Amino acid sequence: MTQIEIPTTLPSGPASAIAQTMLKLGLEGAEQEEVLEQYCHALIDIGVPLMRLHVAQSAFHPRYGGVGFDWTRSDGLKSEQYEYTETPRERWQASPLYHLLQTQELEMRIVLKDSNQPSTYPLLNDLRQLGATDYFATGLVLNRFDTSQPIDPDNTPEGVLLSWTSDGAEGFSDHDIDQIRSVLPYLGLALKSASNRKMARELLGVYLGKDAGNRVLSGEIERGSLEKIDAAICYFDLIGFTSLAERLDGDTMINMLNAYFGVAVRIIEGIGGHVLKFMGDGLMAMFDLGDASEDAEAALQAAQRLTTEMNALNEKRGAAGLPTAGFTLALHNGEIFYGNIGADSRLDFTVIGPAVNQTARLSDMHRALGQNIVVSERLRRAAGADRPELVSLGRYMLRGVPQPQELFTIHTTPEEPK
Protein backbone atom coordinates (compact mmCIF):
# COMPACT_ATOMS: atom_id res chain seq x y z
CA MET A 1 0.00 0.00 0.00
CA THR A 2 1.07 3.54 -0.65
CA GLN A 3 -0.11 6.88 0.67
CA ILE A 4 -2.37 8.72 -1.69
CA GLU A 5 -0.50 11.24 -3.82
CA ILE A 6 -2.08 14.48 -4.99
CA PRO A 7 -1.84 14.69 -8.79
CA THR A 8 -0.74 18.05 -10.23
CA THR A 9 -2.78 17.55 -13.41
CA LEU A 10 -5.62 15.33 -14.57
CA PRO A 11 -4.64 12.16 -16.44
CA SER A 12 -4.32 12.53 -20.16
CA GLY A 13 -6.41 10.76 -22.76
CA PRO A 14 -9.55 8.72 -22.02
CA ALA A 15 -8.65 8.33 -18.34
CA SER A 16 -9.18 12.08 -17.86
CA ALA A 17 -12.96 11.70 -18.11
CA ILE A 18 -12.95 8.90 -15.50
CA ALA A 19 -10.90 11.05 -13.11
CA GLN A 20 -13.35 13.94 -13.51
CA THR A 21 -16.29 11.61 -12.89
CA MET A 22 -14.67 10.32 -9.69
CA LEU A 23 -14.08 13.89 -8.48
CA LYS A 24 -17.71 14.78 -9.22
CA LEU A 25 -19.06 11.74 -7.39
CA GLY A 26 -16.78 12.41 -4.43
CA LEU A 27 -17.93 16.02 -4.15
CA GLU A 28 -21.58 14.94 -4.43
CA GLY A 29 -21.17 12.41 -1.63
CA ALA A 30 -22.16 9.45 -3.83
CA GLU A 31 -22.38 6.01 -2.21
CA GLN A 32 -19.51 3.55 -2.65
CA GLU A 33 -21.72 1.33 -4.79
CA GLU A 34 -22.43 4.11 -7.28
CA VAL A 35 -18.76 5.14 -7.41
CA LEU A 36 -17.61 1.60 -8.18
CA GLU A 37 -20.36 0.84 -10.71
CA GLN A 38 -19.54 3.97 -12.70
CA TYR A 39 -15.80 3.37 -12.42
CA CYS A 40 -15.97 -0.20 -13.74
CA HIS A 41 -18.22 0.67 -16.68
CA ALA A 42 -16.01 3.64 -17.51
CA LEU A 43 -12.91 1.41 -17.64
CA ILE A 44 -14.67 -0.96 -20.02
CA ASP A 45 -15.83 1.98 -22.16
CA ILE A 46 -12.21 3.07 -22.74
CA GLY A 47 -11.20 -0.45 -23.73
CA VAL A 48 -9.78 -1.94 -20.51
CA PRO A 49 -10.68 -5.68 -20.58
CA LEU A 50 -12.01 -5.77 -17.02
CA MET A 51 -13.61 -9.00 -15.88
CA ARG A 52 -13.65 -8.35 -12.12
CA LEU A 53 -12.85 -5.61 -9.62
CA HIS A 54 -12.43 -6.33 -5.91
CA VAL A 55 -12.27 -3.54 -3.34
CA ALA A 56 -11.67 -4.00 0.39
CA GLN A 57 -12.08 -0.78 2.38
CA SER A 58 -11.59 -0.23 6.07
CA ALA A 59 -14.60 0.84 8.13
CA PHE A 60 -15.18 2.40 11.52
CA HIS A 61 -18.09 0.53 13.02
CA PRO A 62 -18.85 -1.23 16.34
CA ARG A 63 -19.54 -4.58 14.64
CA TYR A 64 -17.35 -4.76 11.53
CA GLY A 65 -13.95 -3.40 10.60
CA GLY A 66 -14.17 -3.44 6.84
CA VAL A 67 -16.39 -3.80 3.81
CA GLY A 68 -15.70 -5.65 0.58
CA PHE A 69 -17.09 -5.05 -2.90
CA ASP A 70 -16.94 -7.47 -5.82
CA TRP A 71 -17.90 -6.25 -9.28
CA THR A 72 -18.01 -8.69 -12.19
CA ARG A 73 -19.05 -8.01 -15.75
CA SER A 74 -21.59 -10.82 -15.56
CA ASP A 75 -23.17 -10.18 -12.15
CA GLY A 76 -22.58 -6.52 -11.34
CA LEU A 77 -21.74 -5.37 -7.81
CA LYS A 78 -22.04 -7.33 -4.57
CA SER A 79 -20.83 -6.41 -1.10
CA GLU A 80 -20.08 -8.00 2.24
CA GLN A 81 -19.08 -6.77 5.69
CA TYR A 82 -16.01 -8.10 7.48
CA GLU A 83 -16.81 -8.55 11.15
CA TYR A 84 -14.13 -8.21 13.82
CA THR A 85 -12.37 -11.46 14.70
CA GLU A 86 -9.61 -12.22 17.21
CA THR A 87 -7.66 -14.13 14.57
CA PRO A 88 -7.50 -13.40 10.82
CA ARG A 89 -9.71 -15.55 8.60
CA GLU A 90 -7.94 -18.28 6.64
CA ARG A 91 -9.42 -16.98 3.39
CA TRP A 92 -7.90 -13.55 4.05
CA GLN A 93 -4.49 -14.94 4.98
CA ALA A 94 -4.42 -16.99 1.76
CA SER A 95 -5.25 -14.04 -0.47
CA PRO A 96 -2.89 -12.08 -2.74
CA LEU A 97 -3.88 -8.86 -0.98
CA TYR A 98 -2.68 -10.21 2.38
CA HIS A 99 0.61 -11.13 0.74
CA LEU A 100 0.84 -7.61 -0.68
CA LEU A 101 0.64 -6.20 2.84
CA GLN A 102 2.98 -8.79 4.34
CA THR A 103 5.72 -8.09 1.84
CA GLN A 104 5.15 -4.31 1.93
CA GLU A 105 5.00 -4.35 -1.87
CA LEU A 106 3.26 -1.44 -3.60
CA GLU A 107 1.82 -3.52 -6.44
CA MET A 108 1.35 -7.12 -7.53
CA ARG A 109 0.98 -8.35 -11.09
CA ILE A 110 0.33 -12.02 -11.86
CA VAL A 111 -0.16 -13.13 -15.47
CA LEU A 112 -2.49 -16.14 -15.53
CA LYS A 113 -2.92 -16.89 -19.23
CA ASP A 114 0.41 -18.67 -19.85
CA SER A 115 0.66 -20.63 -16.60
CA ASN A 116 -0.51 -24.21 -16.24
CA GLN A 117 0.78 -24.56 -12.69
CA PRO A 118 -1.67 -24.13 -9.81
CA SER A 119 -1.24 -20.84 -7.97
CA THR A 120 -0.39 -20.68 -4.29
CA TYR A 121 -3.42 -18.40 -4.00
CA PRO A 122 -6.73 -20.34 -4.15
CA LEU A 123 -8.53 -17.24 -5.41
CA LEU A 124 -6.39 -17.08 -8.54
CA ASN A 125 -7.05 -20.74 -9.30
CA ASP A 126 -10.78 -20.04 -9.07
CA LEU A 127 -10.48 -16.97 -11.30
CA ARG A 128 -8.47 -18.90 -13.90
CA GLN A 129 -11.26 -21.49 -14.03
CA LEU A 130 -13.60 -18.60 -14.90
CA GLY A 131 -11.39 -17.50 -17.77
CA ALA A 132 -9.12 -14.96 -16.04
CA THR A 133 -5.88 -14.17 -17.83
CA ASP A 134 -4.33 -11.36 -15.74
CA TYR A 135 -4.40 -10.04 -12.18
CA PHE A 136 -3.20 -6.67 -10.86
CA ALA A 137 -3.43 -5.45 -7.25
CA THR A 138 -2.40 -2.41 -5.23
CA GLY A 139 -3.65 -0.30 -2.34
CA LEU A 140 -3.91 3.19 -0.92
CA VAL A 141 -3.61 4.48 2.62
CA LEU A 142 -6.25 7.17 3.06
CA ASN A 143 -4.80 9.00 6.05
CA ARG A 144 -1.42 10.18 7.25
CA PHE A 145 0.93 7.48 8.48
CA ASP A 146 4.60 6.95 9.18
CA THR A 147 5.95 5.57 5.90
CA SER A 148 9.13 4.42 7.65
CA GLN A 149 7.13 1.87 9.65
CA PRO A 150 5.86 -1.40 8.13
CA ILE A 151 2.11 -1.90 7.81
CA ASP A 152 0.66 -4.65 9.99
CA PRO A 153 -1.55 -6.78 7.68
CA ASP A 154 -3.76 -7.68 10.66
CA ASN A 155 -4.16 -4.07 11.81
CA THR A 156 -4.07 -1.85 8.75
CA PRO A 157 -4.52 1.94 8.74
CA GLU A 158 -7.52 3.50 7.05
CA GLY A 159 -7.27 2.61 3.41
CA VAL A 160 -8.42 0.59 0.46
CA LEU A 161 -7.04 -2.52 -1.24
CA LEU A 162 -7.97 -3.15 -4.87
CA SER A 163 -7.49 -5.85 -7.46
CA TRP A 164 -8.38 -5.88 -11.16
CA THR A 165 -8.82 -9.11 -13.10
CA SER A 166 -8.89 -9.40 -16.88
CA ASP A 167 -10.21 -12.12 -19.16
CA GLY A 168 -8.84 -10.52 -22.33
CA ALA A 169 -6.88 -12.79 -24.66
CA GLU A 170 -3.67 -10.94 -23.79
CA GLY A 171 -4.68 -9.81 -20.32
CA PHE A 172 -4.01 -6.19 -19.43
CA SER A 173 -1.69 -4.19 -21.63
CA ASP A 174 0.90 -1.88 -20.08
CA HIS A 175 -1.28 1.00 -21.27
CA ASP A 176 -4.26 -0.47 -19.39
CA ILE A 177 -2.23 -0.64 -16.17
CA ASP A 178 -1.00 2.93 -16.65
CA GLN A 179 -4.58 4.15 -17.02
CA ILE A 180 -5.63 2.26 -13.88
CA ARG A 181 -2.74 3.83 -11.97
CA SER A 182 -3.48 7.35 -13.23
CA VAL A 183 -7.11 7.26 -12.06
CA LEU A 184 -6.40 5.55 -8.73
CA PRO A 185 -5.97 8.73 -6.59
CA TYR A 186 -9.33 10.07 -7.81
CA LEU A 187 -11.04 6.75 -7.12
CA GLY A 188 -9.45 6.70 -3.66
CA LEU A 189 -10.76 10.18 -2.85
CA ALA A 190 -14.28 9.31 -4.04
CA LEU A 191 -14.28 6.13 -1.92
CA LYS A 192 -12.96 8.01 1.11
CA SER A 193 -15.70 10.63 0.73
CA ALA A 194 -18.37 7.94 0.44
CA SER A 195 -16.94 5.98 3.37
CA ASN A 196 -16.79 9.02 5.65
CA ARG A 197 -20.43 9.88 5.04
CA LYS A 198 -21.48 6.28 5.50
CA MET A 199 -19.43 6.09 8.70
CA ALA A 200 -21.10 9.24 10.05
CA ARG A 201 -24.58 7.92 9.22
CA GLU A 202 -23.95 4.50 10.75
CA LEU A 203 -22.25 5.75 13.92
CA LEU A 204 -24.96 8.35 14.50
CA GLY A 205 -27.54 5.60 13.98
CA VAL A 206 -25.77 3.29 16.43
CA TYR A 207 -25.28 5.88 19.15
CA LEU A 208 -28.37 8.08 18.70
CA GLY A 209 -30.79 5.72 16.95
CA LYS A 210 -31.58 5.56 13.25
CA ASP A 211 -34.20 8.30 13.20
CA ALA A 212 -32.29 10.71 15.45
CA GLY A 213 -29.06 10.00 13.57
CA ASN A 214 -30.65 10.80 10.22
CA ARG A 215 -32.10 14.01 11.64
CA VAL A 216 -28.71 15.14 12.94
CA LEU A 217 -26.98 14.25 9.67
CA SER A 218 -29.65 16.21 7.80
CA GLY A 219 -28.79 19.35 9.76
CA GLU A 220 -30.98 19.27 12.88
CA ILE A 221 -28.07 20.22 15.12
CA GLU A 222 -29.04 23.56 16.64
CA ARG A 223 -29.45 23.54 20.41
CA GLY A 224 -33.10 23.98 21.32
CA SER A 225 -34.43 22.83 17.94
CA LEU A 226 -37.40 20.69 18.97
CA GLU A 227 -40.28 19.13 17.08
CA LYS A 228 -43.65 18.53 18.70
CA ILE A 229 -44.94 15.04 17.92
CA ASP A 230 -47.45 12.51 19.24
CA ALA A 231 -45.93 9.14 20.04
CA ALA A 232 -46.16 6.11 22.31
CA ILE A 233 -43.41 6.07 24.95
CA CYS A 234 -41.89 2.88 26.35
CA TYR A 235 -39.80 2.49 29.51
CA PHE A 236 -38.05 -0.90 29.69
CA ASP A 237 -36.11 -1.96 32.79
CA LEU A 238 -34.49 -5.15 34.05
CA ILE A 239 -35.64 -6.52 37.41
CA GLY A 240 -33.02 -7.28 40.01
CA PHE A 241 -30.06 -6.36 37.84
CA THR A 242 -28.61 -3.91 40.38
CA SER A 243 -28.27 -6.59 43.07
CA LEU A 244 -26.98 -9.08 40.51
CA ALA A 245 -24.33 -6.63 39.32
CA GLU A 246 -22.85 -6.52 42.82
CA ARG A 247 -22.10 -10.24 42.60
CA LEU A 248 -21.09 -10.55 38.95
CA ASP A 249 -17.69 -9.94 37.40
CA GLY A 250 -17.47 -7.22 34.77
CA ASP A 251 -17.48 -9.45 31.69
CA THR A 252 -20.48 -11.47 32.87
CA MET A 253 -22.41 -8.32 33.72
CA ILE A 254 -21.74 -6.68 30.33
CA ASN A 255 -22.55 -9.87 28.41
CA MET A 256 -25.80 -10.18 30.33
CA LEU A 257 -26.83 -6.60 29.58
CA ASN A 258 -25.96 -7.03 25.91
CA ALA A 259 -28.03 -10.23 25.71
CA TYR A 260 -31.18 -8.64 27.15
CA PHE A 261 -30.76 -5.31 25.34
CA GLY A 262 -30.12 -7.20 22.12
CA VAL A 263 -33.52 -8.85 22.32
CA ALA A 264 -35.32 -5.67 23.41
CA VAL A 265 -33.82 -3.46 20.71
CA ARG A 266 -34.44 -6.04 17.97
CA ILE A 267 -38.11 -6.30 18.92
CA ILE A 268 -38.67 -2.55 19.28
CA GLU A 269 -36.92 -1.64 16.04
CA GLY A 270 -38.51 -4.57 14.22
CA ILE A 271 -41.95 -3.08 14.89
CA GLY A 272 -40.86 0.36 13.75
CA GLY A 273 -39.90 1.86 17.10
CA HIS A 274 -36.88 4.01 17.93
CA VAL A 275 -34.63 3.38 20.92
CA LEU A 276 -33.90 6.84 22.31
CA LYS A 277 -31.38 6.06 25.05
CA PHE A 278 -30.01 3.44 27.41
CA MET A 279 -30.25 4.27 31.09
CA GLY A 280 -28.15 1.86 33.15
CA ASP A 281 -30.07 -1.42 33.01
CA GLY A 282 -33.03 0.12 31.17
CA LEU A 283 -33.94 1.95 28.01
CA MET A 284 -36.46 4.46 26.70
CA ALA A 285 -38.04 4.05 23.27
CA MET A 286 -40.85 5.58 21.25
CA PHE A 287 -43.24 4.51 18.52
CA ASP A 288 -44.07 7.27 16.03
CA LEU A 289 -45.69 5.45 13.11
CA GLY A 290 -48.25 7.97 11.90
CA ASP A 291 -51.22 8.16 14.25
CA ALA A 292 -52.01 7.35 17.86
CA SER A 293 -53.74 4.03 17.12
CA GLU A 294 -50.79 2.72 15.12
CA ASP A 295 -48.36 3.85 17.81
CA ALA A 296 -50.40 2.17 20.55
CA GLU A 297 -50.77 -1.04 18.56
CA ALA A 298 -47.00 -1.20 17.97
CA ALA A 299 -46.28 -0.61 21.66
CA LEU A 300 -48.62 -3.42 22.70
CA GLN A 301 -47.12 -5.77 20.12
CA ALA A 302 -43.69 -4.99 21.51
CA ALA A 303 -44.88 -5.80 25.04
CA GLN A 304 -46.26 -9.18 23.98
CA ARG A 305 -43.19 -10.14 21.99
CA LEU A 306 -40.89 -9.04 24.80
CA THR A 307 -42.77 -11.31 27.20
CA THR A 308 -42.37 -14.28 24.90
CA GLU A 309 -38.76 -13.76 23.91
CA MET A 310 -37.50 -12.73 27.33
CA ASN A 311 -39.00 -15.93 28.77
CA ALA A 312 -37.26 -17.93 26.03
CA LEU A 313 -33.96 -16.13 26.69
CA ASN A 314 -34.21 -16.83 30.42
CA GLU A 315 -34.85 -20.53 29.80
CA LYS A 316 -31.81 -20.68 27.54
CA ARG A 317 -29.58 -18.78 29.96
CA GLY A 318 -30.81 -20.78 32.94
CA ALA A 319 -30.05 -24.06 31.17
CA ALA A 320 -26.53 -22.78 30.51
CA GLY A 321 -26.02 -21.81 34.16
CA LEU A 322 -26.00 -18.08 33.37
CA PRO A 323 -27.68 -15.40 35.52
CA THR A 324 -31.19 -14.31 34.48
CA ALA A 325 -33.42 -11.29 35.04
CA GLY A 326 -37.02 -10.31 34.50
CA PHE A 327 -38.17 -7.02 33.04
CA THR A 328 -40.71 -4.27 33.57
CA LEU A 329 -42.41 -2.20 30.91
CA ALA A 330 -44.38 1.05 31.14
CA LEU A 331 -46.41 2.23 28.12
CA HIS A 332 -48.05 5.60 27.59
CA ASN A 333 -48.69 7.96 24.70
CA GLY A 334 -49.12 11.66 24.17
CA GLU A 335 -47.49 14.85 23.00
CA ILE A 336 -43.71 15.07 23.34
CA PHE A 337 -40.91 17.38 22.24
CA TYR A 338 -38.20 15.63 20.19
CA GLY A 339 -34.87 17.26 19.45
CA ASN A 340 -31.62 18.79 20.71
CA ILE A 341 -31.29 19.58 24.41
CA GLY A 342 -28.16 20.41 26.37
CA ALA A 343 -25.20 22.77 26.30
CA ASP A 344 -23.21 24.24 23.42
CA SER A 345 -20.46 21.67 23.92
CA ARG A 346 -22.65 18.63 24.72
CA LEU A 347 -26.07 17.92 23.22
CA ASP A 348 -28.49 15.04 23.57
CA PHE A 349 -31.09 14.24 20.91
CA THR A 350 -33.94 13.09 23.10
CA VAL A 351 -37.57 13.59 24.12
CA ILE A 352 -39.11 15.65 26.90
CA GLY A 353 -42.60 16.61 27.95
CA PRO A 354 -45.47 15.62 30.26
CA ALA A 355 -46.06 12.32 28.41
CA VAL A 356 -42.44 11.30 29.04
CA ASN A 357 -42.74 12.25 32.72
CA GLN A 358 -45.97 10.31 33.11
CA THR A 359 -44.41 7.20 31.57
CA ALA A 360 -41.66 7.47 34.18
CA ARG A 361 -44.33 7.67 36.90
CA LEU A 362 -45.95 4.51 35.51
CA SER A 363 -42.61 2.71 35.67
CA ASP A 364 -42.52 3.51 39.41
CA MET A 365 -45.81 1.66 39.93
CA HIS A 366 -44.70 -1.88 39.04
CA ARG A 367 -43.79 -2.95 42.55
CA ALA A 368 -46.89 -1.47 44.19
CA LEU A 369 -49.17 -3.07 41.56
CA GLY A 370 -47.36 -6.39 41.42
CA GLN A 371 -47.36 -6.28 37.60
CA ASN A 372 -44.40 -6.21 35.23
CA ILE A 373 -46.31 -4.43 32.45
CA VAL A 374 -48.26 -1.24 33.17
CA VAL A 375 -50.28 0.48 30.43
CA SER A 376 -51.87 3.92 30.70
CA GLU A 377 -55.54 4.63 30.15
CA ARG A 378 -54.69 6.97 27.30
CA LEU A 379 -52.75 4.31 25.39
CA ARG A 380 -55.56 1.79 25.91
CA ARG A 381 -58.04 4.26 24.40
CA ALA A 382 -55.74 4.89 21.44
CA ALA A 383 -55.43 1.14 20.86
CA GLY A 384 -59.23 0.74 20.63
CA ALA A 385 -61.96 -0.31 23.01
CA ASP A 386 -62.03 -3.99 22.06
CA ARG A 387 -58.80 -5.10 23.76
CA PRO A 388 -59.67 -8.11 25.96
CA GLU A 389 -55.98 -8.68 26.75
CA LEU A 390 -55.86 -5.33 28.61
CA VAL A 391 -57.01 -5.87 32.18
CA SER A 392 -57.79 -2.94 34.48
CA LEU A 393 -55.70 -2.59 37.63
CA GLY A 394 -57.87 0.21 39.04
CA ARG A 395 -57.54 3.98 39.34
CA TYR A 396 -54.51 5.58 40.98
CA MET A 397 -53.07 8.97 41.71
CA LEU A 398 -49.67 9.43 40.05
CA ARG A 399 -47.11 11.87 41.35
CA GLY A 400 -47.30 15.11 39.37
CA VAL A 401 -50.58 14.14 37.64
CA PRO A 402 -53.64 16.06 38.95
CA GLN A 403 -56.36 13.54 38.06
CA PRO A 404 -56.59 9.84 38.99
CA GLN A 405 -55.56 7.52 36.16
CA GLU A 406 -56.87 4.06 35.35
CA LEU A 407 -54.01 1.66 34.74
CA PHE A 408 -53.98 -1.63 32.84
CA THR A 409 -51.77 -4.64 32.34
CA ILE A 410 -51.58 -7.23 29.58
CA HIS A 411 -52.94 -10.70 30.20
CA THR A 412 -52.42 -12.99 27.26
CA THR A 413 -50.92 -16.34 26.35
CA PRO A 414 -47.39 -15.61 25.11
CA GLU A 415 -46.85 -16.46 21.47
CA GLU A 416 -44.19 -18.96 20.48
CA PRO A 417 -40.81 -17.34 19.77
CA LYS A 418 -40.10 -16.86 16.08
Side-chain angles (χ1 to χ4, degrees):
M1 294 179 73
T2 183
Q3 193 164 22
I4 193 167
E5 296 181 4
I6 301 175
T8 56
T9 60
L10 284 171
S12 60
S16 175
I18 303 178
Q20 291 182 59
T21 298
M22 295 299 102
L23 285 175
K24 178 176 180 292
L25 293 173
L27 289 170
E28 292 173 348
E31 301 282 344
Q32 290 152 301
E33 291 81 358
E34 182 182 357
V35 169
L36 293 173
E37 284 277 10
Q38 292 208 31
Y39 171 76
C40 291
H41 287 294
L43 282 183
I44 290 175
D45 288 344
I46 66 171
V48 176
L50 183 66
M51 167 189 171
R52 172 184 182 264
L53 173 75
H54 174 73
V55 174
Q57 188 170 5
S58 55
F60 192 62
H61 191 275
R63 193 176 70 251
Y64 59 88
V67 59
F69 299 93
D70 274 303
W71 180 92
T72 61
R73 202 169 56 241
S74 57
D75 297 326
L77 192 69
K78 298 179 181 179
S79 64
E80 67 173 315
Q81 295 167 341
Y82 305 136
E83 294 192 359
Y84 292 109
T85 59
E86 293 184 4
T87 56
R89 292 183 174 86
E90 291 184 10
R91 185 181 66 165
W92 164 234
Q93 290 182 312
S95 72
L97 294 178
Y98 189 83
H99 176 81
L100 190 74
L101 294 173
Q102 272 189 318
T103 59
Q104 307 297 307
E105 295 176 13
L106 300 181
E107 296 180 351
M108 174 186 287
R109 177 87 180 274
I110 300 175
V111 177
L112 303 173
K113 65 183 179 67
D114 296 327
S115 174
N116 294 320
Q117 296 298 319
S119 173
T120 57
Y121 306 111
L123 170 67
L124 299 189
N125 293 323
D126 294 340
L127 291 175
R128 185 189 284 116
Q129 290 294 319
L130 295 174
T133 56
D134 207 349
Y135 179 89
F136 175 69
T138 188
L140 287 173
V141 176
L142 299 177
N143 62 2
R144 293 178 179 175
F145 77 107
D146 186 352
T147 55
S148 67
Q149 298 297 316
I151 291 175
D152 180 355
D154 298 324
N155 186 26
T156 58
E158 180 187 354
V160 57
L161 291 165
L162 309 97
S163 68
W164 297 258
T165 305
S166 175
D167 59 355
E170 300 301 322
F172 292 122
S173 68
D174 291 342
H175 180 63
D176 294 332
I177 299 297
D178 286 341
Q179 292 192 102
I180 288 172
R181 290 192 188 106
S182 68
V183 175
L184 187 57
Y186 304 94
L187 174 62
L189 284 170
L191 289 173
K192 182 179 176 71
S193 171
S195 176
N196 284 347
R197 186 165 182 82
K198 182 177 182 180
M199 176 182 69
R201 182 173 61 250
E202 290 183 343
L203 287 180
L204 284 170
V206 168
Y207 283 95
L208 297 182
K210 186 176 181 181
D211 181 69
N214 285 335
R215 287 170 180 260
V216 170
L217 197 60
S218 298
E220 294 185 34
I221 57 177
E222 183 181 354
R223 183 168 63 133
S225 60
L226 297 169
E227 179 184 358
K228 185 187 294 186
I229 63 174
D230 285 307
I233 303 296
C234 163
Y235 267 72
F236 168 92
D237 200 16
L238 291 176
I239 299 174
F241 183 80
T242 301
S243 60
L244 270 175
E246 295 176 356
R247 307 192 303 271
L248 300 177
D249 63 78
D251 288 343
T252 302
M253 179 178 65
I254 295 301
N255 289 337
M256 181 179 178
L257 270 180
N258 287 339
Y260 285 102
F261 281 156
V263 170
V265 172
R266 174 173 52 79
I267 290 172
I268 290 167
E269 292 185 343
I271 303 174
H274 303 290
V275 175
L276 299 168
K277 63 173 63 181
F278 294 96
M279 304 171 295
D281 57 355
L283 64 81
M284 180 171 65
M286 74 172 186
F287 297 90
D288 177 28
L289 303 180
D291 61 45
S293 63
E294 288 181 282
D295 299 341
E297 180 62 37
L300 293 174
Q301 282 187 33
Q304 293 173 329
R305 293 184 188 180
L306 279 167
T307 299
T308 299
E309 297 207 23
M310 286 295 180
N311 288 339
L313 177 60
N314 279 336
E315 289 182 11
K316 183 178 179 180
R317 290 180 63 84
L322 297 172
T324 61
F327 75 97
T328 64
L329 197 68
L331 300 176
H332 180 53
N333 73 326
E335 187 178 86
I336 59 176
F337 294 94
Y338 184 41
N340 287 293
I341 301 168
D344 288 337
S345 59
R346 179 65 173 88
L347 291 172
D348 190 12
F349 205 100
T350 187
V351 294
I352 59 171
V356 179
N357 296 337
Q358 187 164 331
T359 311
R361 303 290 180 264
L362 293 177
S363 70
D364 294 335
M365 296 291 292
H366 293 294
R367 186 169 297 175
L369 295 172
Q371 297 294 332
N372 290 353
I373 299 175
V374 177
V375 180
S376 73
E377 180 180 0
R378 180 165 178 162
L379 190 136
R380 186 203 67 83
R381 288 200 307 267
D386 187 21
R387 305 299 301 222
E389 76 275 20
L390 293 179
V391 178
S392 177
L393 299 172
R395 294 169 65 81
Y396 297 87
M397 294 297 301
L398 303 179
R399 182 164 55 90
V401 180
Q403 299 298 324
Q405 303 292 311
E406 187 173 9
L407 304 181
F408 298 81
T409 192
I410 298 177
H411 177 74
T412 185
T413 303
E415 61 184 64
E416 292 297 320
K418 296 179 180 179

